Structures are given as structure tokens and as C-alpha cells.
């Protein structure tokens, strides 16, 4: 796992931050922001914004998605080392929940892939990466990352 602070230049980072926190930015409510299902325990909810997913005919053809192209290219160049490696991309916004709330452990895809998490804000809700990659009755912690604005993990 790589962890990089100050991944983006400050000017571009602030531009992205200002765009997604603007009241005109379109977020969609999700009952469970970690996985697409109807699990609704009241605290796993949040909001998402799809940027790119060919399966759902989402491309970078909207103003709200186009601003992320330099970000994706930087990931491909600096972290992955492969052009056109993006499979899908979305933004998630979790909301305040009681201390100790654990979002649904999940694996993004079954096929080999890279996953990155980029933080636009500081938060006290750590991201937990588990040793287990399949559904389990118990999970053991591999990494715990505190969200910090302009931090990326890969």
C-alpha cells in the first residue's frame, strides 16, 4: 500500500474541493455508500457521484466529470504506470455517524485491479483495510488510515 500526502498541487486540489462542495454539485443518496444493496441500518448511508463507468454508460462527458481527467491521468502516471487503466471511478461522501460505526467491508472487483482512495477533507472516520478479501464472519485489520485532505492511498 502506498500513502501519499499532498498528492495534487494546491491550486488544482482547491479547485476540485470547491467544485464538489458547491451546492450545485449533484450527489445521489445511497442507503449503503460502500456497496450497492438495500442494507439500511441507518448509519451506512451517504452520497455518491459516478464519474466513469462504461457498464452504466458513464463517461467523462459532463463538466462535473471532466475536471477529474487530470487527476485520473496523474494516478495512472504516478501510481499505476499504465495508460487507460481506469475501470470505473466515483466520488463518495460519508456522513456523520455514531463513533465506532463500521461501513460494510467489501472488495471493489473480483478481477485483478488497482483501488485508490483520495480524501478531499480531513475526517475522524478512519479507513480500514482488512486482510480478508472475501466475505467473512470476522475481519482482521491490515491498515488503518486517517483521512487527510489531499491524501491518496493505493
Amino acid at each position: 500500500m502506498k500513502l501519499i500526502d499532498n498528492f495534487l498541487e494546491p491550486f488544482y486540489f482547491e479547485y476540485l474541493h470547491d467544485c464538489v462542495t458547491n451546492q450545485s454539485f449533484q450527489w445521489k443518496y445511497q442507503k449503503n455508500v460502500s456497496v450497492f444493496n438495500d442494507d439500511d441500518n441507518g448509519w451506512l448511508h451517504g452520497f455518491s457521484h459516478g464519474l466513469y463507468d462504461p457498464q452504466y454508460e458513464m463517461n467523462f462527458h459532463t463538466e462535473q466529470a471532466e475536471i477529474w481527467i487530470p487527476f485520473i491521468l496523474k494516478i495512472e502516471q504516478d501510481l499505476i504506470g499504465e495508460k487507460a487503466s481506469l475501470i470505473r471511478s466515483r466520488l463518495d461522501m460519508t456522513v456523520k455517524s455514531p463513533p465506532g460505526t463500521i461501513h460494510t467491508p467489501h472488495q471493489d472487483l473480483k478481477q485483478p485491479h488497482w483501488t485508490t482512495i483520495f480524501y478531499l477533507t480531513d475526517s475522524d472516520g478512519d479507513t480500514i483495510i482488512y486482510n480478508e478479501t472475501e466475505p467473512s464472519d470476522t475481519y482482521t485489520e491490515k491498515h488503518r488510515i486517517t483521512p487527510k485532505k489531499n491524501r491518496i492511498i493505493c
Side-chain angles (χ1 to χ4, degrees):
M1 183 190 81
K2 295 179 187 177
L3 182 149
I4 302 170
D5 287 330
N6 303 311
F7 181 65
L8 297 176
E9 295 296 321
F11 188 83
Y12 180 50
F13 172 80
E14 291 299 326
Y15 178 76
L16 292 176
H17 179 272
D18 291 349
C19 286
V20 301
T21 57
N22 185 296
Q23 68 184 24
S24 68
F25 195 81
Q26 298 174 357
W27 292 98
K28 294 182 180 174
Y29 178 78
Q30 304 291 330
K31 287 183 180 179
N32 185 325
V33 77
S34 297
V35 294
F36 294 113
N37 66 27
D38 287 328
D39 185 5
D40 188 7
N41 80 356
W43 297 110
L44 302 179
H45 65 280
F47 298 86
S48 69
H49 179 93
L51 294 175
Y52 177 81
D53 193 336
Q55 178 181 347
Y56 296 102
E57 297 182 10
M58 275 190 268
N59 297 304
F60 289 107
H61 297 300
T62 68
E63 184 178 327
Q64 293 181 337
E66 285 177 352
I67 64 171
W68 290 91
I69 292 173
F71 171 75
I72 299 299
L73 292 172
K74 183 170 175 59
I75 289 173
E76 290 183 337
Q77 175 183 306
D78 295 358
L79 299 177
I80 313 252
E82 183 180 337
K83 291 180 186 177
S85 60
L86 181 66
I87 297 171
R88 70 178 182 203
S89 181
R90 71 181 182 145
L91 304 176
D92 287 334
M93 177 176 38
T94 57
V95 295
K96 187 173 182 175
S97 55
T101 299
I102 303 292
H103 285 266
T104 309
H106 64 281
Q107 181 181 23
D108 287 343
L109 298 169
K110 296 292 184 187
Q111 68 200 58
H113 67 282
W114 289 89
T115 296
T116 61
I117 300 173
F118 181 69
Y119 302 102
L120 283 166
T121 61
D122 295 336
S123 174
D124 61 356
D126 288 352
T127 299
I128 302 171
I129 309 294
Y130 296 101
N131 288 302
E132 295 74 21
T133 58
E134 298 295 330
S136 176
D137 292 332
T138 59
Y139 290 92
T140 56
E141 198 173 296
K142 185 175 186 176
H143 300 287
R144 180 178 288 261
I145 303 98
T146 299
K148 179 180 174 189
K149 70 180 186 174
N150 204 5
R151 170 178 280 176
I152 193 167
I153 58 175
C154 175

